[in-house]
Amino acid sequence: MRLRALLDTDALGLRLLSGADELDRTVRGVMTTDLRDPSRYLSGGELVLTGLAWRRGAEDPEPFVRVLAGAGVAALAVGEAELGDVPEDLVAVCVRHRVPLFSVDERVAFATITEHVVRQVSGERAGDLAAVVDRHRRLMAPGPGGGGPDAVLDLLGTDLDLRAWVLSPTGRRIAGPHTAGRTLSEEACTALATAHLTAVRSGRRGPYRTTVGDAPYALFPVRGGRTAPGGAREARELAGTAAALTEWVLVVAADIADWPEERLDLVHGVGQLIAVERDRRDAARTVRRQLAHEVWELVRSDAAPAEVAARLRVAGPVLLPGRTTAPHWQVVVARIEGSGAPDGRGTGAEQGVEDRGRLARALLEEVLVDPLATGTGPADRIAVAYAGDEAVALVPLVASDAEERDAEPGEGPARGELVAETLLRSVREPLTAGLGEGGRLTLGVSAAVHSAEGLRGALEEARHARRVAAARPGPVSAAGHQELASHVLLLPFVPDDVRRAFTARLLDPLRAYDRRHRADLVETLEAFLDSDGSWTRCAARLHLHVNTLRYRVGRIEQLTGRDLSRLEDKLDFFLALRMS
């Protein structure tokens, strides 16, 4: 199809800003991006859709448009939803590089344009997937009238005799046939996801060819179609292989070496249709991510337990609709580190930290889903937020109906508690391939808690468990709360002279101060640690004003040279008190 036909389609909401003499260019496909440099994903002839998230100043359009012109794209279309009118500097650069430029009315979704182009281009090039393209709106629609990705993949099987699946970046099956003889084993899914991430990291252009056993497969990356609020856009702002760690992959059981270009393009079109479902998934996560963010902000700010409990009462029905009892909760903390992590190229260290946090959140959302669970629904039970380069998950533990009936009012039984090592059993291989040399993912898992009062301690427990995991070798590792009780076994074997020296160095300055001033610094330290570092709970326990407590803690830090906001120093004091 030609650009002129797109401009003449009123439903697409396109307005020509430059390039009136280039409207006979042929459109071969469509791509949505907010990357500063999308060249590796361009093959020529695309209509490029962007929300301008890459533009931070007047100097940014020049390198972006130069890349598009060099790749031979058909045109650039800019959405008006985020910034309103298209900046004049972008118009001038497009004129200079002879790249036709359109604006997209804010009422028109990028998905609408994507679907129109896929339908038209596919219809012009071949007829073997016409049924898929003509029926994709019904098939991808939510609710009883639509079947989502599974319905589209079923048509690939019936119309073209192609078996195809959609996998998550860690190899979890999201859609595709699962009948005997036509399904993928868990081992095959892991191998295919690993092959995909290895190929992306090598810099090759998709689709990727691979074999599992003796069977050939083709791997088509599934990239989002429309910028979803708080979700898909963030994923696509990650660069290169970091972005691949958040992508789905369309797996086709076929050797595509001799496929004509038209057939490859049609399967690419199917991938774009499935990307609509991926964007829906990302958008649906926005509410859960916001809930998690609000809970953790309250916990970090030492809010009253009643206030935290109120937010948990809101989160429970969202994550576990239909449940009548309050769930138990577990906390999982994740960080991305090393040379394989996003570095925020050209945007400074602060942006690099944000990129690592977003990637850690995306991976944590995937890792916490049962690897044997299919579809997108199981991810609805997980709420993950990030702050800086740390991602924190709030995971409700699901009770059976019988257990709910037997539970005490207001308290649900903890069942199916997460085990750190089990989380990584099926995802270690693909994540290792995706992180690459020097990249690391470390996880820490807390014990289950049944109330808001326990969340702060669970957060600290998960953070310390993650530090234990980080001390281990390997690119992907996790540690659980069970491993943090090892001091009970270790302390009796510490030599007496070491015990005395350790405790004297930390506690003798406090004891001497207490004797001279008739103070209670040691008692204050014990209460502070027992309160998980909560100022309000510790002050209430000691019947002190918070300012008095802060003065005492400051005096402890001054006398010992330690910092009670650091987990390592808290742990040293805890051990010293236990050994004294």
Side-chain angles (χ1 to χ4, degrees):
M1 66 180 306
R2 300 186 186 277
L3 289 176
R4 191 181 307 279
L6 290 177
L7 187 61
D8 292 339
T9 305
D10 293 338
L12 299 184
L14 296 175
R15 182 167 59 93
L16 183 66
L17 301 181
S18 70
D21 55 344
E22 303 285 347
L23 291 179
D24 286 328
R25 290 190 181 188
T26 300
V27 179
R28 299 180 62 250
V30 62
M31 176 195 178
T32 299
T33 186
D34 277 318
L35 292 174
R36 288 169 172 263
D37 180 5
S39 57
R40 69 188 310 158
Y41 305 120
L42 297 171
S43 57
E46 295 93 346
L47 171 66
V48 176
L49 306 173
T50 182
L52 292 183
W54 49 266
R55 184 186 181 276
R56 293 177 173 83
E59 70 281 0
D60 290 329
E62 173 63 31
F64 180 81
V65 175
R66 189 190 313 122
V67 165
L68 301 188
V73 304
L76 173 65
V78 177
E80 297 177 342
E82 289 289 333
L83 301 178
D85 292 339
V86 177
E88 288 297 327
D89 49 47
L90 177 58
V91 177
V93 170
C94 286
V95 170
R96 186 160 59 250
H97 287 280
R98 297 178 62 85
V99 174
L101 177 64
F102 299 91
S103 66
V104 181
D105 191 285
E106 63 180 1
R107 294 168 295 184
V108 178
F110 282 180
T112 300
I113 299 174
T114 298
E115 292 164 1
H116 179 84
V117 171
V118 169
R119 182 171 63 251
Q120 296 299 321
V121 171
S122 299
E124 291 172 4
R125 289 181 177 172
D128 58 357
L129 275 183
V132 174
V133 178
D134 289 341
R135 288 177 274 172
H136 75 276
R137 285 188 184 275
R138 176 177 57 83
L139 293 171
M140 296 303 297
D150 276 307
V152 174
L153 299 185
D154 284 345
L155 282 180
L156 277 178
T158 57
D159 292 2
L160 297 180
D161 195 28
L162 286 177
R163 289 181 298 148
W165 301 264
V166 178
L167 304 181
S168 77
T170 61
R172 183 171 59 86
R173 190 176 65 79
I174 293 170
H178 53 274
T179 56
R182 295 183 63 84
T183 191
L184 288 173
S185 67
E186 184 179 355
E187 293 75 16
C189 289
T190 299
L192 289 165
T194 302
H196 171 242
L197 290 172
T198 300
V200 172
R201 183 159 284 280
S202 71
R204 290 158 45 203
R205 189 186 296 254
Y208 311 112
R209 296 166 58 199
T210 189
T211 58
V212 174
D214 295 326
Y217 293 91
L219 310 175
F220 295 78
V222 175
R223 301 184 175 100
R226 177 180 182 272
T227 299
R233 181 206 295 178
E234 287 186 351
R236 284 191 293 276
E237 281 180 352
L238 295 170
T241 53
L245 279 165
T246 70
E247 293 173 351
W248 291 353
V249 57
L250 173 62
V251 176
V252 178
D255 185 350
I256 63 172
D258 298 326
W259 275 21
E261 190 70 21
E262 292 78 8
R263 195 173 179 88
L264 285 173
D265 287 345
L266 288 169
V267 177
H268 276 298
V270 171
Q272 290 178 328
L273 299 182
I274 293 170
V276 175
E277 178 66 21
R278 179 194 163 204
D279 283 344
R280 285 199 187 106
R281 186 278 314 262
D282 285 338
R285 284 183 173 176
T286 303
V287 173
R288 299 191 295 277
R289 288 170 173 174
Q290 183 61 31
L291 279 172
H293 175 76
E294 291 172 1
V295 169
W296 296 125
E297 282 300 305
L298 289 173
V299 171
R300 291 189 187 99
S301 63
D302 201 25
E307 192 174 355
V308 180
R311 295 311 299 164
L312 289 181
R313 284 195 294 272
V314 173
V318 173
L319 301 179
L320 298 175
R323 296 283 167 172
T324 57
T325 57
H328 282 60
W329 303 93
Q330 264 184 290
V331 178
V332 184
V333 171
R335 281 187 70 186
I336 299 286
E337 301 170 296
S339 60
D343 58 9
R345 283 182 285 276
T347 58
E350 183 178 346
Q351 182 63 37
V353 169
E354 291 290 305
D355 283 347
R356 290 196 296 274
R358 282 194 290 268
L359 179 56
R361 181 183 63 185
L363 293 183
L364 196 49
E365 287 173 331
E366 175 60 30
V367 166
L368 292 176
V369 179
D370 183 343
L372 298 180
T374 59
T376 57
D380 295 345
R381 291 177 173 171
I382 300 160
V384 187
Y386 78 93
D389 62 353
E390 178 185 74
V392 186
L394 186 65
V395 183
L397 300 182
V398 186
S400 68
D401 292 337
E403 288 172 319
E404 282 196 345
R405 287 193 298 270
D406 296 336
E408 293 295 326
E411 185 174 314
R415 189 175 71 89
E417 188 171 331
L418 299 174
V419 178
E421 192 57 30
T422 303
L423 289 176
L424 300 180
R425 186 172 297 159
S426 63
V427 302
R428 179 176 276 111
E429 187 178 349
L431 289 181
T432 298
L435 289 167
E437 186 176 356
R440 298 201 70 202
L441 170 67
T442 53
L443 296 157
V445 183
S446 79
V449 295
H450 71 274
S451 64
E453 287 82 355
L455 274 186
R456 183 181 179 86
L459 176 60
E460 289 297 319
E461 189 174 57
R463 282 173 169 166
H464 185 54
R466 193 207 63 78
R467 290 186 178 95
V468 171
R472 295 171 174 166
V476 182
S477 66
H481 62 93
Q482 301 91 339
E483 301 172 61
L484 303 186
S486 58
H487 68 274
V488 177
L489 300 176
L490 294 176
L491 292 185
F493 299 96
V494 178
D496 288 342
D497 57 338
V498 175
R499 293 160 67 98
R500 285 193 295 269
F502 182 80
T503 57
R505 186 165 58 250
L506 283 173
L507 300 183
D508 279 2
L510 307 183
R511 290 167 176 159
Y513 186 91
D514 284 347
R515 285 193 301 270
R516 289 195 308 270
H517 300 277
R518 296 183 181 180
D520 297 306
L521 294 187
V522 173
E523 179 188 359
T524 300
L525 175 62
E526 289 178 318
F528 187 76
L529 295 176
D530 287 344
S531 301
D532 297 321
S534 168
W535 296 99
T536 54
R537 291 203 298 275
C538 184
R541 175 173 175 170
L542 295 173
H543 305 289
L544 296 174
H545 192 278
V546 171
N547 288 342
T548 303
L549 175 61
R550 291 185 185 278
Y551 172 83
R552 288 189 182 182
V553 170
R555 178 64 66 183
I556 292 170
E557 294 175 334
Q558 182 183 23
L559 291 170
T560 61
R562 298 301 186 102
D563 181 358
L564 276 167
S565 67
R566 298 181 69 247
L567 181 62
E568 292 86 347
D569 289 345
K570 288 179 184 175
L571 183 60
D572 284 347
F573 278 122
F574 174 80
L575 293 174
L577 290 168
R578 283 294 182 96
M579 288 191 293
S580 62

